[in-house]
Amino acid sequence: MKKSLKRYALVTIFIAIFADILGFGMIIPLAPILARDFGADGLQVGFLISIYSIVQFIFAPYWGRLSDYFGRKPILLIGLLGMSLAHIWFAFSTSFSHLFFSRIVAGFFGANIVIAMAYISDITHSQERSKNLGLIGMAFGFGFTFGPALGFLFILIGNKLGSAPPYGASFAALGAALVCIINFVMAYFFLKESQTSNSKISGSVKSSLFSRPSPSFIWKSLTQPKLGKIFLMSFILWISIAQIEPVLILLVQDDFGWTKSTAYWSFAYIGFLMAFSQGFLVRKLIPFYGERLVNKWGLFLVILGLFLIACSPWAHLKSILFFNLILLVSGVTFFSVGYSLTSTSLSGALSLLSPKEQQGRIFGVNQSLSSLARILGPLLGGWCYRDLSHSSPFFLASVMGFFAFSLAIWVGKDFPNLGLVSKKTKDVESLPPSYSIDRVQLKNLIDKRIPFHFFQMEKLIVEDEFSEVKNIVNQSVFKTEEEVLSFIKNQNLHCPFVFLCENGFVSEKISEDLRAKGYINAYYVEKGLRGLKKN
C-alpha cells in the first residue's frame, strides 16, 4: 500500500476506534450508577462489568477468524450495529437483569479492537507494526477522555426530558448508540477493505496476531524465565485497574457525596491523563531513560496512587481543608500516569523479548491474560467493596502493585532497554541487526593487532586444557553492563566493540543495545565461551 493511502487508512481506523471507545467511555461510568439505582450491591456491579469481558473473551477470536475469510470491513460494520443495539437495550433497561443481558449482547459484538489490530497488521510492515498498534492505545486514551464528558452532556439532556428510562441518566446510553451508528456510517463510506481475495484465503495464518493461542503455547510462554515475569507484571497491573474500575465511581458517590454528573467527570479526568501520558510523556521519557527505568517509575506511581485513594475516605482531618479530596485527586493522578508509563513499557518489553516469528502469538497470550484480568478484577473489587470496606479494593490493588514492583527489581537487567536511543539515531528499525563473530574471526582481530575493545560481560573461568581459548579470553576485560555504557560515552560511534559471555545471550543483548544507540561496530562472540571451546 502506498504511503499516502496507508496514512489515510490509519487515520480512518484511528477515528473508527476512537468513536468506538468514545461510546464505551460513555457506558462504563454509567453502568455502576444505573446498577446502583436498580438496587445492585458492589459484587453485582462487579458481575455487570465482568460479563462483558467474559463474553468478549469467548467470541472475539471467532469474529477475528471470520474477518480472515470475509474481510475486516464487513465484520467491523456488524460489530458496530450490534453494539448500537446493545446500547439501546441498555438505555431502555428498567431492571438490573435487563442491564446484565444488554452487556452480554455488547460483549458478543465487542470484537472491534481485535478487528482493528488485524486491519493495522494487514497494511503495515512488521517493522512499523508496534508503532502503529500504539494508535489503538492513543484512541483508548482520547475515547476515555471525551466519552465520559459526552456522556455527562447526554445526562443533562436526559434529565430535562424526564427521569424514567430511556431518559435521565439512561439517556447517555442512547448517546453511545448514536456514536456507534455515526461510526458505522463513516466506516461504511470511508474505510477501505485491507484484505485482497488472496489474503482472505490465507487468513488463518494472519489470525495469529489476534486469535487466542493454544493452551500449550500459553503455558510454554508463561513458564519462560524472562517472558513469564513480564507476563506476571502485566497481569497484576491489569487486574489492579480492573479491580478498581467498578468501585471507584461507587466510592466517590458513597464517601464523597458526588453526584452522577461529577462522577462522570472523574472518569474524563482519568482518560485525559492516560491520553496525555501515552501520547506525550511516554514518547519523551523512554528515549531518554529506557523502558527499564520508566517501568519502575510507572509501578511506583501506581502503588502510590492506589494507596492515596485507599486512604482518602479516612482522611477527614478538620485541620486541613479538603484533605481527603486532595488525597483522592492526587491518588487518581499518580495512578493514571503510572499505569500509562508501565503498561507501555511492558508491551514494549514483550515485543523485544519475543522471537519475530512468535510476535503474534505472544501478544495473543497477552490479550488472553488481559481478558482474564478484566473478568476476575471487577468481581474481586466488588466483593471487597461490599463485604470488607470501601477502601479495601484499593489497598489490595496497591499491594499487588508492590508485588509487581518487586518483580521489576528481580527481572533487573533482563528487562529490555532498547528505548534508550542515542539522539543521533532517529530510526532504530533502520539499523542493521547485531553481528556475531566466531573464534577464527576473533583470533584474526587479536593476531593482526586490529584496535578494538574486548569485554567480558560475565566473569569467565577457562580450564587449562583450553589453553588457546584461555589466551583469547585473557585479552578481554570484565565490565558490567553499566560500566560498558559509561565507558562508551567517551567513544565515537565507529569504535569497534566485541563482547563475550558464557553462552552468547548476554553479549548478544548488549551488542543489540549498542547498535540501537548507533554504535554500528558492536559485535558479540557467537555462542560465547562455549562456542570458543567447541571450535
Side-chain angles (χ1 to χ4, degrees):
M1 184 179 289
K2 294 182 179 179
K3 286 187 177 181
S4 58
L5 294 177
K6 185 188 299 184
R7 190 178 298 112
Y8 175 80
L10 287 173
V11 170
T12 305
I13 197 68
F14 173 81
I15 294 173
I17 295 305
F18 166 69
D20 186 64
I21 302 302
L22 188 70
F24 188 72
M26 297 169 69
I27 290 292
I28 285 299
L30 181 63
I33 292 174
L34 294 183
R36 176 62 65 84
D37 289 344
F38 295 143
D41 57 33
L43 183 59
Q44 289 175 316
V45 171
F47 270 113
L48 182 63
I49 301 298
S50 291
I51 191 60
Y52 175 88
S53 297
I54 293 172
V55 179
Q56 185 186 53
F57 176 75
I58 296 171
F59 290 102
Y62 300 106
W63 285 113
R65 291 178 184 177
L66 286 174
S67 74
D68 286 339
Y69 297 100
F70 298 103
R72 312 302 184 202
K73 183 175 179 177
I75 302 302
L76 181 65
L77 294 177
I78 291 172
L80 290 171
L81 277 181
M83 289 293 287
S84 64
L85 293 175
H87 293 336
I88 291 172
W89 188 358
F90 192 92
F92 280 88
S93 296
T94 56
S95 66
F96 177 79
S97 60
H98 287 175
L99 292 178
F100 192 80
F101 285 112
S102 71
R103 296 306 292 161
I104 291 178
V105 175
F108 176 77
F109 289 104
N112 293 340
I113 303 302
V114 171
I115 306 304
M117 291 173 64
Y119 189 97
I120 292 174
S121 71
D122 289 338
I123 66 173
T124 57
H125 298 295
S126 59
Q127 294 88 348
E128 301 174 332
R129 192 165 297 157
S130 296
K131 177 179 68 176
N132 289 329
L133 285 174
L135 290 173
I136 295 178
M138 190 178 296
F140 260 93
F142 283 117
F144 276 111
T145 300
F146 297 103
L150 187 59
F152 169 74
L153 178 62
F154 273 92
I155 287 179
L156 291 180
I157 297 173
N159 287 334
K160 291 184 178 181
L161 296 175
S163 57
Y167 304 116
S170 300
F171 199 70
L174 286 182
L178 179 62
V179 169
C180 285
I181 294 172
I182 295 174
N183 196 5
F184 173 87
V185 174
M186 291 179 60
Y188 181 84
F189 286 104
F190 298 107
L191 189 64
K192 304 296 182 182
E193 177 56 56
S194 62
Q195 287 194 304
T196 63
S197 57
N198 292 333
S199 63
K200 292 176 187 177
I201 295 173
S202 61
S204 58
V205 177
K206 290 187 176 183
S207 66
S208 63
L209 180 64
F210 51 93
S211 62
R212 192 181 303 119
S214 65
S216 60
F217 184 81
I218 292 176
W219 176 252
K220 184 178 178 180
S221 301
L222 294 178
T223 52
Q224 289 185 36
K226 295 180 182 179
L227 279 177
K229 295 170 187 174
I230 303 298
F231 278 131
L232 186 55
M233 274 191 282
S234 299
F235 180 73
I236 291 172
L237 188 68
W238 285 324
I239 204 169
S240 296
I241 192 171
Q243 184 178 326
I244 70 169
E245 198 172 61
V247 297
L248 179 60
I249 200 163
L250 301 181
L251 178 77
V252 297
Q253 284 187 294
D254 294 341
D255 292 85
F256 290 83
W258 288 12
T259 63
K260 298 174 183 178
S261 302
T262 308
Y264 245 83
W265 280 114
S266 66
F267 271 78
Y269 176 66
I270 292 173
F272 168 76
L273 290 175
M274 289 186 174
F276 172 75
S277 300
Q278 292 181 350
F280 179 76
L281 286 182
V282 168
R283 293 175 177 269
K284 294 293 184 182
L285 294 177
I286 286 183
F288 282 93
Y289 300 103
E291 292 93 342
R292 188 183 305 159
L293 190 57
V294 170
N295 177 57
K296 291 178 182 178
W297 287 350
L299 287 172
F300 175 77
L301 290 176
V302 165
I303 298 168
L304 178 61
L306 290 169
F307 182 77
L308 291 178
I309 296 173
C311 293
S312 61
W314 297 354
H316 295 287
L317 301 182
K318 297 181 180 179
S319 58
I320 304 178
L321 190 62
F322 302 127
F323 186 64
N324 57 334
L325 182 60
I326 293 173
L327 287 181
L328 176 67
V329 174
S330 300
V332 168
T333 302
F334 290 143
F335 171 78
S336 302
V337 173
Y339 175 79
S340 299
L341 295 180
T342 193
S343 62
T344 305
S345 301
L346 289 171
S347 297
L350 284 177
S351 178
L352 294 170
L353 289 174
S354 305
K356 291 183 178 180
E357 67 275 7
Q358 294 183 359
Q359 289 274 321
R361 286 187 291 169
I362 290 295
F363 277 105
V365 175
N366 205 38
Q367 184 184 7
S368 296
L369 289 177
S370 174
S371 299
L372 180 62
R374 291 197 304 269
I375 293 169
L376 298 178
L379 297 177
L380 180 60
W383 174 78
C384 289
Y385 190 88
R386 186 191 69 176
D387 293 348
L388 298 180
S389 70
H390 292 179
S391 294
S392 59
F394 305 96
F395 276 124
L396 179 59
S398 66
V399 172
M400 291 180 177
F402 180 78
F403 183 60
F405 185 77
S406 302
L407 275 175
I409 296 176
W410 184 23
V411 171
K413 297 177 183 177
D414 289 336
F415 198 99
N417 216 32
L418 293 183
L420 195 59
V421 181
S422 170
K423 293 180 181 179
K424 298 181 181 180
T425 306
K426 296 182 179 180
D427 188 3
V428 179
E429 296 293 344
S430 66
L431 293 174
S434 57
Y435 294 142
S436 62
I437 60 175
D438 57 21
R439 174 179 174 176
V440 175
Q441 293 170 311
L442 179 59
K443 195 171 184 303
N444 284 337
L445 289 175
I446 296 173
D447 292 344
K448 294 180 180 180
R449 300 182 182 277
I450 297 175
F452 70 102
H453 296 286
F454 188 21
F455 296 129
Q456 296 179 40
M457 301 312 299
E458 298 173 335
K459 289 186 177 181
L460 303 174
I461 300 177
V462 184
E463 299 82 1
D464 292 334
E465 61 183 289
F466 298 101
S467 58
E468 188 174 4
V469 175
K470 191 172 185 178
N471 290 333
I472 294 176
V473 173
N474 287 340
Q475 304 293 323
S476 63
V477 178
F478 170 75
K479 282 186 181 294
T480 64
E481 182 176 346
E482 286 76 10
E483 289 172 339
V484 169
L485 294 176
S486 176
F487 175 81
I488 65 173
K489 289 181 180 179
N490 299 320
Q491 310 299 322
N492 62 62
L493 294 176
H494 297 277
C495 182
F497 294 90
V498 177
F499 302 97
L500 175 67
C501 67
E502 183 67 30
N503 52 24
F505 296 130
V506 176
S507 53
E508 181 181 4
K509 176 185 176 298
I510 186 64
S511 175
E512 290 177 347
D513 286 354
L514 288 180
R515 293 182 73 80
K517 294 166 183 276
Y519 289 86
I520 59 176
N521 288 326
Y523 304 86
Y524 69 97
V525 180
E526 186 176 6
K527 298 181 181 178
L529 182 60
R530 294 181 182 179
L532 292 180
K533 290 179 179 180
K534 289 181 180 179
N535 290 330

